[in-house]
């Protein structure tokens, strides 16, 4: 091990302080710190530090995404072969088909996004933040499988530059960058992002298949054709990895047990959506309304609530605020679904909307603490007066 | 009226190297030192010159901003050197000690007969005043103020620190005298907080309102106790004194001498046979630790592991320190140490490590940062170790932005750097919260006063 360390130190030498390539140090450090936790020690403040760092936190999120991603790859194959070729196959070939389709998307997303991150880190002279490791995986997971790679790349550029770096980089952005990418693609290339031809791989090559999402069918007044268990399991068309509520909940369990994501947002998000769905079911004016609690297992709701709404940077930051924020995401998600027949998937817009309002929610939560403090001071003055 | 204090938020870190309850005397150092940097916000004005002979308890310098606050020599000897830094800032005053102490004798007076003003004058003249700290701002008390209450926390909840009851075992009489003196200084009460679960000799102290404190660290922090007993509002002044310093104050009134001798814990995983020692404040660290340290790549801390100052063997024991902690330095690389659940030998308060599954395990942490500084991303983690009714991350951001109004609103008057020590320790972004709070408090002193 000593040999490897020495080798790296030797490679890093020209990037040291006062050396030729000092400016590019953030780039080489980002690579080095993936191999080794650096030898930095405490100087001020507490002399010892917790083992956790941002890398560990972000990698935990990626671990939580893996079950949904693997199922998404399998489901890509399943949808393709069952709808287009009409053949039955075992898990492995279906998974490999999906892998072959989805891996390039992940590579493009990471390649483009990390390149921009490195450039900004060098330009600003700070270390590369790990946030994009999660964003870069989320983006392909919420796109339709047949989205051309150059569109994906463009969405990534927009998300990272306009959605994140323009605000000052990691920790400063207002909107969830992954959702910014999806929103960009959705409004820039609507024909590739909705309809009945985009959700099943290679569907455009065949006429007359029903490759719509459940919500698309409901909005168009068609039969759903799947039972609740199929929808919960995720054996339905949809974006790459958002179909399986089951595997998303496994991810949610990982996030909640490790404490990486706020259980408050996840739980209150599902509660908000459930209350709204039940309310509309009682109203029952159309198929989307009568869908009831099935709303919770279709579309991007589960994925959005578990992996998108819980982004700590763009979400609410206070504990009370998180409960309100999550709840409203659930409520607005279903509301937009039901009242917007042109675009029945509302969770993306609901999260982006609440991202914007999260600071306002926090403001009022914190203000109550401020008021309590002021009141205490006033009562005290009265007593002494 | 006594009130129990129970807190839930915080963290009890179990560390190797607790001091055994045995006391030895450290042989007299050749050189003692006073570091003005121990006293926040004090600009020293020298009274003696290099080469001057001083008695123990004789004034060395006073504070430029409050000339009545005087700082005295811990030993009798000769002023060896006044070390200065940039712009002639006084860094350290070295005193070559005589072989035996000759104390400056103050006339002994019966505390009962003294007025509040006379007690104050005695404390100022004796050099005991710097033991009295003020909240807000965590600085030496202003001698012109009358605080609304005085708080003494006899519960050291931070890991590896000196046990207060043990240190004060034979000093109960002096402690009582110190409390009696402090009681004369406040218009309100003197509050004494004790560790909840244990019987304490200090329970019999009279003239105080006793509180039993339950809960994890920072339950012993006096700021946490203040917030539960009688919170600080804008404009309020409360004073705090550490328990051993109360006894020193008491001893002064009983004997008429300023005695800088104290009992400290020498602890930490790198100490052989960790135990307690008696020595004089300002003693050279090497006299304390010589032959007692295991490795050679160690960090010596004057103070506790969370809030103390880094010192070398040539350094000196800090004025307020009652613990010296020695832990391994962590200037080494750790392969893939960032992976979730990796490095189980390093404690983590988060559940992305394995520590939460091994609640009884004792750790021997080193000084590695375990990561690099990052933007503030994770939310909610600071709240878990902050028992005060404030929003720590929002307050820190206001401090970074020097936004005084916001800092006031979010409770800057209620906090001291030590209350943010656990945030230093636990936060994912490796933010140095104590430094930020100290800077903000200094700004508040300048702008608001």
């Amino acid at each position: 091990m000593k040999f490897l360390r020495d080798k790296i130190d030797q490679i890093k030498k020209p990037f040291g302080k006062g050396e030729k390539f000092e400016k590019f140090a953030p780039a080489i450090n980002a690579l080095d710190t993936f191999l080794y936790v650096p030898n930095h020690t405490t100087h001020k403040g507490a002399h010892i530090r917790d083992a956790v760092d941002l890398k560990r936190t972000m990698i935990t999120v990626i671990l939580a995404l893996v079950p949904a991603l693997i199922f998404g790859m399998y489901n890509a194959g399943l949808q393709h072969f069952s709808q287009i070729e009409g053949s039955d196959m075992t898990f492995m070939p279906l998974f490999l088909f999906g892998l072959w389709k989805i891996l390039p998307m992940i590579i493009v997303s990471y390649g483009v996004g990390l390149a921009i991150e490195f450039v900004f880190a060098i330009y600003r002279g700070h270390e590369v933040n790990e946030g994009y490791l999660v964003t870069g995986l989320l983006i392909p997971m919420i796109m339709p499988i047949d989205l051309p790679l150059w569109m994906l790349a463009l969405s990534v550029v927009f998300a990272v530059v306009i959605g994140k770096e323009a605000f000052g980089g990691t920790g400063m952005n207002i909107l969830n960058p992954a959702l910014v990418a999806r929103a960009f693609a959705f409004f820039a290339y609507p024909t590739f992002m909705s309809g009945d031809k985009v959700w099943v791989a290679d569907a455009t090559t065949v006429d007359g298949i029903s490759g719509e999402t459940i919500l698309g069918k409901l909005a168009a007044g068609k039969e759903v054709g799947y039972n609740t268990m199929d929808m919960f399991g995720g054996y339905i068309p949809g974006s790459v990895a958002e179909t399986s509520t089951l595997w998303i909940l496994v991810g949610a369990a990982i996030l909640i047990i490790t404490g990486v994501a706020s259980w408050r947002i996840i739980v209150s998000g599902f509660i908000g959506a459930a209350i709204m769905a039940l309310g509309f079911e009682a109203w029952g004016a159309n198929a989307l309304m009568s869908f009831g609690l099935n709303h919770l297992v279709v579309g991007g709701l589960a994925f959005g609530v578990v992996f998108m709404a819980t982004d700590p940077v763009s979400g609410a930051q206070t504990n009370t605020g998180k409960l309100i924020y999550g709840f409203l995401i659930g409520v607005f998600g279903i509301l937009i679904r039901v009242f917007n027949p042109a675009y029945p998937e509302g969770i993306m817009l609901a999260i982006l909307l609440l991202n914007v309002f999260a600071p306002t929610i926090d403001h009022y939560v914190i203000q109550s603490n401020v008021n309590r403090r002021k009141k205490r001071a006033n009562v005290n003055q009265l007593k002494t007066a | 009226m006594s009130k129990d204090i129970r807190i839930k938020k915080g963290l009890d870190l179990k560390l190797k190297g607790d001091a055994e309850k045995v006391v030895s005397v450290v042989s007299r150092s050749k050189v003692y030192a006073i570091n003005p940097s121990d006293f926040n916000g004090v600009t020293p004005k020298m009274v003696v010159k290099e080469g001057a002979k001083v008695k123990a308890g004789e004034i060395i310098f006073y504070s430029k901003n409050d000339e009545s606050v005087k700082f005295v020599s811990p030993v009798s000897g000769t002023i060896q050197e006044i070390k200065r830094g940039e712009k002639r800032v006084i860094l350290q005053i070295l005193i070559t000690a005589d072989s035996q102490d000759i104390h400056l004798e103050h006339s002994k007076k019966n505390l009962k007969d003294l007025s509040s003003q006379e007690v104050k004058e005695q404390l100022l003249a004796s050099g005991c005043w710097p033991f009295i700290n003020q909240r807000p701002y965590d600085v030496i008390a202003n001698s012109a103020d009358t605080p609304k209450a005085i708080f003494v926390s006899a519960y050291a909840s931070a890991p590896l620190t000196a046990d207060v009851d043990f240190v004060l075992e034979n000093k109960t009489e002096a402690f009582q005298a110190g409390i009696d003196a402090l009681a004369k200084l406040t218009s309100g009460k003197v509050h004494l907080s004790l560790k909840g679960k244990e019987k304490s000799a200090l329970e019999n102290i009279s003239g105080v309102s006793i509180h039993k404190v339950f809960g994890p660290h920072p339950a012993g922090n006096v700021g946490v106790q203040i917030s539960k007993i009688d919170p600080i509002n804008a404009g309020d002044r409360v004073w705090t004194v550490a328990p051993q310093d109360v006894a020193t104050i008491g001893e002064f009134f009983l004997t008429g001498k300023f005695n800088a001798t104290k009992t400290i814990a020498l602890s930490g995983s790198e100490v052989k046979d960790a135990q307690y020692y008696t020595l004089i404040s300002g003693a050279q660290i090497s006299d304390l630790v010589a032959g007692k340290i295991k490795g050679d790549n160690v960090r010596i801390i004057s103070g506790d592991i969370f809030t103390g100052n880094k010192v070398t063997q040539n350094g000196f024991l800090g004025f307020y320190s009652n613990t010296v902690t020695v832990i391994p330095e962590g200037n080494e690389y750790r392969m893939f140490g960032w992976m979730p659940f990796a490095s189980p030998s390093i404690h983590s308060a988060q559940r992305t490590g394995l520590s939460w599954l091994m609640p009884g395990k004792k750790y021997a942490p080193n000084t590695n940062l375990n990561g690099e500084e990052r933007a503030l991303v994770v939310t909610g983690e600071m709240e878990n170790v902050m028992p005060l009714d404030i929003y720590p991350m929002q307050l820190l951001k206001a401090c970074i932005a020097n936004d005084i109004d916001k800092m006031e609103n979010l409770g800057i008057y209620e906090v001291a750097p030590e209350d943010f020590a656990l945030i230093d320790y636990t936060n994912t972004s490796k933010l140095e919260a104590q430094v930020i709070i100290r800077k903000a408090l200094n700004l508040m002193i300048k702008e608001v006063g």
Side-chain angles (χ1 to χ4, degrees):
Chain A
M1 285 303 109
K2 177 103 176 57
F3 167 76
L4 181 61
R5 187 63 245 166
D6 290 346
K7 197 80 196 155
I8 294 171
D9 286 338
Q10 200 187 335
I11 296 169
K12 276 181 79 175
K13 206 163 175 277
F15 296 91
K17 264 222 159 71
E19 302 283 343
K20 204 171 161 192
F21 299 116
E22 187 187 343
K23 264 174 79 178
F24 298 96
I28 194 96
N29 285 343
L31 300 176
D32 181 20
T33 54
F34 257 96
L35 270 177
Y36 288 96
V37 172
N39 61 348
H40 303 169
T41 55
T42 55
H43 292 288
K44 288 173 175 168
H47 292 269
I48 52 171
R49 298 300 161 98
D50 197 288
V52 76
D53 69 347
L54 204 55
K55 274 196 185 65
R56 183 176 276 194
T57 306
M58 291 298 174
I59 297 297
T60 309
V61 181
I62 289 178
L63 286 179
L65 281 167
V66 165
L69 179 64
I70 290 177
F71 181 84
M73 289 174 174
Y74 160 73
N75 190 44
L78 181 74
Q79 295 301 325
H80 174 82
F81 287 106
S82 64
Q83 299 223 27
I84 295 175
E85 322 235 331
S87 51
D88 268 344
M89 277 199 242
T90 51
F91 175 84
M92 219 41 210
L94 295 178
F95 169 77
L96 287 175
F97 174 86
L99 180 72
W100 187 244
K101 283 274 177 191
I102 294 164
L103 199 59
M105 297 172 79
I106 296 173
I107 292 170
V108 166
S109 168
Y110 272 137
V112 174
L114 285 176
I116 301 171
E117 290 270 335
F118 272 64
V119 168
F120 271 95
I122 291 166
Y123 170 68
R124 292 207 173 108
H126 63 58
E127 299 297 329
V128 179
N129 273 288
E130 286 81 3
Y132 192 77
L133 294 180
V134 171
T135 311
L137 188 58
L138 282 174
I139 290 174
M141 288 175 80
I142 54 173
M143 295 292 189
I145 191 155
D146 270 349
L147 188 75
L149 289 178
W150 67 269
M151 286 183 194
L152 180 74
L154 214 56
S155 308
V156 167
V157 172
F158 184 84
V160 176
V161 176
I162 307 292
K164 192 155 108 175
E165 295 301 336
F167 290 97
T170 303
M172 316 287 179
N173 47 301
I174 293 170
L175 301 173
N176 183 323
L179 280 179
V180 171
R182 194 178 199 281
F184 173 83
F186 180 74
F187 290 110
Y189 311 106
T191 51
F192 290 89
M193 294 292 290
S194 56
D196 58 0
K197 296 286 183 195
V198 304
W199 306 109
V200 176
D202 305 329
T204 43
T205 58
V206 191
D207 282 335
I209 72 143
S210 85
E212 287 165 305
T213 62
I214 309 284
L215 292 168
K217 284 182 178 171
L218 285 170
K222 293 183 191 166
E223 275 293 304
V224 171
Y226 294 96
N227 63 35
T228 305
M229 279 325 285
D230 281 347
M231 296 189 283
F232 179 73
Y235 307 101
I236 51 175
S239 295
V240 167
E242 49 88 340
T243 59
S244 173
T245 309
L246 172 67
W247 294 106
I248 290 166
L249 287 179
V250 170
I254 295 175
L255 290 180
I256 290 175
I257 290 169
T258 55
V260 166
S262 163
W263 62 267
R264 290 180 172 85
I265 294 175
I266 297 176
V267 171
S268 67
F270 279 116
I271 290 174
I275 288 174
M276 219 47 199
L278 288 173
F280 278 125
E281 192 178 25
W283 185 354
N286 60 31
L288 270 167
M289 284 191 184
S290 311
F291 204 41
L293 284 179
N294 286 327
H295 270 296
L296 268 62
V297 296
V298 299
L301 188 130
F303 195 85
V305 166
V306 172
F307 292 112
M308 301 288 189
T310 52
D311 169 18
V313 174
S314 57
Q317 302 186 338
T318 57
N319 285 342
T320 316
K322 281 171 185 169
L323 288 172
I324 301 168
Y325 164 86
F327 184 79
L328 289 179
I329 283 176
V331 166
F332 277 100
I334 302 296
L335 199 69
I336 296 171
R337 264 186 192 180
V338 170
F339 282 113
N340 191 344
Y343 180 47
E345 184 43 287
I347 199 72
M348 169 183 90
L349 295 173
I351 295 172
L352 287 172
L353 180 72
L354 265 297
N355 279 173
V356 173
F357 280 105
T360 315
I361 296 171
D362 280 336
H363 172 80
Y364 284 105
V365 172
I366 293 167
Q367 201 55 40
S368 78
N369 175 276
V370 172
N371 291 343
R372 193 157 63 238
R373 182 166 291 113
K374 281 189 175 153
K375 198 172 152 196
R376 194 178 70 205
N378 290 338
V379 168
N380 240 41
Q381 267 167 11
L382 281 178
K383 255 197 255 166
T384 46
Chain B
M1 188 192 72
S2 144
K3 193 170 109 183
D4 281 356
I5 299 167
R6 282 167 206 281
I7 71 157
K8 288 205 182 88
K9 290 175 174 180
L11 174 68
D12 269 333
L13 202 51
K14 294 186 178 68
L15 302 183
K16 286 179 188 163
D18 247 331
E20 199 189 330
K21 288 185 177 165
V22 178
V23 190
S24 307
V25 178
V26 177
S27 60
R28 206 171 159 78
S29 295
K30 285 197 179 72
V31 184
Y32 288 77
I34 304 175
N35 297 317
S37 62
D38 282 352
F39 313 106
N40 280 313
V42 170
T43 313
K45 185 85 182 151
M46 294 302 298
V47 175
V48 292
K49 293 209 170 76
E50 282 180 11
K53 294 284 286 177
V54 289
K55 287 180 186 168
E58 207 172 317
I59 297 163
I60 303 278
F61 64 86
Y62 60 83
S63 166
K64 241 182 191 171
N65 337 30
D66 184 354
E67 296 190 2
S68 57
V69 177
K70 297 172 175 86
F71 300 82
V72 300
S73 174
V75 290
S76 61
T78 315
I79 306 290
Q80 181 193 320
E81 195 189 348
I82 300 168
K83 276 195 184 159
R84 290 175 186 270
E86 267 175 56
K87 293 184 186 167
R88 297 189 43 77
V89 169
I90 299 169
L91 299 177
Q92 200 168 54
I93 298 137
L94 297 172
I95 304 158
T96 317
D98 298 338
S99 56
Q100 261 197 332
D101 278 332
I102 304 159
H103 284 270
L104 184 72
E105 306 257 352
H106 295 260
S107 57
K108 240 181 6 182
K109 280 177 188 148
N110 195 337
L111 253 175
K112 276 188 190 136
D113 309 331
L114 294 179
S115 70
S116 154
Q117 190 55 34
E118 284 166 323
V119 170
K120 211 177 247 188
E121 280 163 13
Q122 290 274 317
L123 287 171
L124 287 163
S126 65
C128 286
W129 192 265
F131 289 134
I132 304 173
N133 275 295
Q134 166 204 296
R135 296 289 171 96
Y137 308 141
D138 193 27
V139 290
I140 292 174
N142 182 339
S143 58
D145 287 340
T146 305
K148 74 166 180 173
I150 296 177
F151 295 84
V152 179
S153 170
Y155 174 19
S157 57
L160 303 180
T161 45
D163 182 80
V164 178
D165 254 69
F166 179 68
V167 163
L168 292 179
E169 214 167 25
N170 303 314
K171 292 187 182 172
T172 323
E173 193 195 352
F175 188 82
Q176 179 67 59
I179 292 285
D180 294 341
L182 291 175
K184 299 227 171 198
L185 301 176
T186 170
S187 54
K189 285 182 190 166
V190 178
H191 297 275
L192 174 65
S193 328
L194 305 172
K195 187 173 180 177
K197 281 183 196 147
E198 286 164 26
K199 270 258 163 240
S200 167
L202 302 177
E203 276 170 39
N204 303 320
I205 295 292
S206 62
V208 288
S209 158
I210 289 181
H211 308 271
K212 288 270 191 178
V213 189
F214 299 86
H217 182 63
N221 278 11
V222 69
V224 174
Q225 296 159 4
I226 295 170
S227 78
K228 298 284 177 192
I229 297 167
D230 188 1
I232 306 168
N233 301 305
D236 284 351
R237 291 286 182 272
V238 305
W239 290 353
T240 68
V241 189
Q244 199 166 180
D245 300 340
V246 173
T248 307
I249 290 173
E251 196 182 342
F252 165 73
F253 281 102
L254 293 176
T255 64
K257 289 178 197 164
F258 175 84
N259 183 358
T261 308
K262 55 184 174 184
T263 307
I264 65 152
L266 175 60
S267 57
S269 60
E270 287 297 289
V271 176
K272 284 181 215 158
D273 309 322
Q275 63 160 87
Y276 288 75
Y277 292 94
T278 301
L279 41 50
I280 297 173
S281 188
Q284 193 148 25
I285 295 291
S286 55
D287 295 315
L288 170 68
V289 301
K292 295 165 196 148
I293 295 181
K294 289 177 190 166
D296 48 4
N297 189 20
V298 296
R299 161 101 35 120
I300 306 172
I301 303 158
S302 173
D304 73 64
I305 206 162
F306 285 137
T307 61
N309 291 317
K310 180 179 172 178
V311 288
T312 61
Q313 294 236 12
N314 298 325
F316 299 87
L317 184 68
F319 185 81
Y320 298 105
S321 302
N322 47 32
T323 300
V324 169
T325 320
V326 188
I327 55 172
E329 275 289 1
N331 51 344
E332 64 204 8
Y333 289 87
R334 201 150 42 78
M335 201 175 213
F336 297 126
W338 48 268
M339 297 241 267
F341 310 111
S343 312
S345 63
I346 303 172
H347 173 266
S348 176
Q350 314 273 350
R351 293 194 301 265
T352 47
L354 291 172
S355 306
W356 61 290
L357 297 172
M358 307 180 280
K361 188 175 159 106
K362 283 194 166 194
Y363 295 86
N366 63 28
T367 63
N368 195 291
L369 265 180
N370 296 324
E372 289 179 297
E373 192 168 340
R374 288 290 182 265
L376 280 172
V377 169
V378 179
T379 59
E381 59 175 358
M382 293 185 184
E383 283 81 352
N384 291 338
V385 292
M386 172 49 80
L388 298 172
D389 181 24
I390 60 166
Y391 282 99
M393 190 162 97
Q394 283 72 16
L395 177 58
L396 283 167
K397 284 184 173 174
C399 291
I400 294 169
N402 291 334
D403 186 336
I404 289 178
D405 281 345
K406 234 181 185 172
M407 277 150 63
E408 266 189 346
N409 283 338
L410 293 172
I412 188 78
Y413 296 124
E414 293 156 50
V415 303
E418 62 173 13
D419 300 326
F420 282 74
L422 278 174
I423 291 179
D424 266 4
Y425 174 69
T426 54
N427 86 81
T428 305
S429 300
K430 310 292 174 190
L431 187 82
E432 284 175 341
Q434 292 191 84
V435 179
I436 294 167
I437 293 294
R438 185 67 257 167
K439 274 192 189 150
L441 291 173
N442 291 347
L443 179 76
M444 294 301 287
I445 294 170
K446 222 169 95 190
E447 300 290 331
V448 183

